[in-house]
Amino acid sequence: MSMETDGLPKLDNLIFGEIQVLLSEKRTSLAALRTGIAVFALPLSVLSALIATSRYYSMEKVMPLLAPLLLLNLGLVVLGCWLVLRSIHRIHHYEHRIRELSEKYRAVAEFIE
């Protein structure tokens, strides 16, 4: 292996580059997790507002408006759960891949941990 100007072998730079990509993907998954939590929390806040103001309206009179709203809230809850679960799965995948790289290349492991 030839040495570059900074003293690190090219293979180490390649591994560092791969780890940087994995960390940026992990950061993106964390942003998706944050979005999923926000999407999941929106229907809960709408439903709590409806429950808090329920004494001011009759369920029978507002059911044509309430049914589509509840259906939309159900869709948002499903979307939020999917985003959260997918993000958690991807984060674990990236952490596992980084751990594999640090075990395979011991010279790089000291900078990761």
Side-chain angles (χ1 to χ4, degrees):
M1 275 189 265
S2 65
M3 301 292 279
E4 290 187 339
T5 57
D6 59 354
L8 292 175
K10 288 184 179 182
L11 180 62
D12 285 351
N13 285 339
L14 182 68
I15 301 305
F16 278 128
E18 186 174 349
I19 290 172
Q20 283 179 335
V21 169
L22 289 170
L23 289 174
S24 67
E25 291 292 330
K26 183 178 174 183
R27 199 170 40 248
T28 302
S29 293
L30 287 170
L33 178 68
R34 184 181 63 226
T35 303
I37 291 170
V39 167
F40 185 79
L42 179 67
L44 297 178
S45 63
V46 169
L47 289 177
S48 65
L50 287 175
I51 291 170
T53 60
S54 64
R55 64 179 173 184
Y56 299 118
Y57 60 86
S58 171
M59 287 286 284
E60 298 82 28
K61 291 181 182 178
V62 296
M63 190 53 77
L65 299 173
L66 197 58
L69 179 67
L70 292 176
L71 190 63
L72 178 67
N73 283 346
L74 177 66
L76 287 174
V77 166
V78 169
L79 176 64
C81 289
W82 180 77
L83 282 171
V84 166
L85 292 175
R86 183 176 184 272
S87 298
I88 290 172
H89 174 72
R90 298 303 298 169
I91 289 169
H92 286 299
H93 170 73
Y94 296 134
E95 287 177 355
H96 179 69
R97 182 69 182 128
I98 291 171
R99 195 174 315 113
E100 282 178 350
L101 288 173
S102 66
E103 289 172 0
K104 187 175 180 181
Y105 303 101
R106 278 297 179 202
V108 177
E110 67 185 55
F111 297 106
I112 296 173
E113 298 172 357

